[in-house]
């Protein structure tokens, strides 16, 4: 079981989700976002409502400012991360959401092919172990501050 998870991690290389999070998301100016969801694999759904876009995880709904933010958060919700960093600059979210979704899709395809000959129970255990490992790594990287620091002065002229 450990061998398959470690092999998947090794095969993912640069596109391992915690690595993408650490190298491409955390260096940016970010704010933390907390979701009260179970720390396990979830099945998030995105809804367009009259009031905007919502991300639904289990029975909880989270209002999102736009569809791309919901896509971005859905990846972390599926992994079961309760607290993540969101780029403060909303123009950076769509490409990151695309990378994260593609990475997760590739990882699930690799997992399915690597565990095709195993029993459904063993496949479930390996999948849970994979998600647990990604979740713990993202948690150890951290979500940062609730609001980013703006170190620019608001004074318009020097006296």
């Amino acid at each position: 079981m450990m061998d398959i998870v470690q092999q998947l991690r090794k095969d993912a290389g640069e596109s391992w989700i915690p690595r993408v999070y650490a190298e491409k998301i955390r260096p940016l100016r970010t704010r933390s976002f907390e979701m009260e969801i179970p720390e396990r694999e979830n099945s998030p759904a995105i809804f367009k409502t009259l009031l905007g876009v919502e991300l639904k995880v289990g029975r909880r709904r989270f209002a999102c400012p736009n569809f791309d933010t919901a896509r971005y958060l859905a990846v972390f919700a599926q992994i079961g991360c309760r607290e993540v960093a969101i780029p403060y600059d909303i123009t950076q979210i769509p490409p990151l959401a695309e990378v994260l979704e593609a990475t997760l899709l590739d990882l699930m395809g690799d997992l399915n092919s690597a565990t095709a000959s195993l029993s459904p129970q063993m496949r479930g255990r390996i999948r849970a172990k994979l998600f647990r490992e990604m979740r713990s790594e993202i948690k150890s990287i951290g979500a940062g501050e609730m609001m980013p620091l703006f170190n620019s002065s608001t004074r318009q002229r020097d006296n």
Side-chain angles (χ1 to χ4, degrees), residues 105-120:
L105 192 63
D106 290 345
L107 191 60
M108 292 300 101
D110 293 345
L111 176 67
N112 289 337
S113 63
T115 60
S117 63
L118 301 175
S119 69

Side-chain angles (χ1 to χ4, degrees), residues 10 17 24 47 55 60 79 83-84 89 116 126 134 143:
K10 184 178 151 196
I17 290 179
K24 293 185 179 176
F47 295 105
L55 174 67
R60 305 283 313 211
I79 296 170
E83 194 172 5
V84 295
D89 180 6
I126 293 171
M134 284 193 292

Side-chain angles (χ1 to χ4, degrees), residues 36-123:
E36 292 185 28
I37 59 173
E39 286 191 343
R40 60 174 167 77
E41 182 181 2
N42 296 297
S43 298
I46 299 172
F47 295 105
K48 290 185 179 178
T49 66
L50 292 173
L51 300 175
V53 180
E54 289 185 344
L55 174 67
K56 183 179 179 195
V57 184
R59 294 183 177 166
R60 305 283 313 211
R61 289 180 179 253
F62 304 97
C64 297
N66 56 33
F67 187 72
D68 293 316
T69 303
R71 288 175 45 219
Y72 175 88
L73 290 173
V75 172
F76 293 106
Q78 185 172 349
I79 296 170
C81 296
R82 297 185 75 153
E83 194 172 5
V84 295
I86 299 178
Y88 198 75
D89 180 6
I90 62 169
T91 61
Q92 296 175 336
I93 295 174
L96 290 171
E98 194 171 313
V99 166
L100 291 170
E101 286 173 337
T103 300
L104 188 60
L105 192 63
D106 290 345
L107 191 60
M108 292 300 101
D110 293 345
L111 176 67
N112 289 337
S113 63
T115 60
S117 63
L118 301 175
S119 69
Q121 294 83 7
M122 194 62 170
R123 292 175 84 174

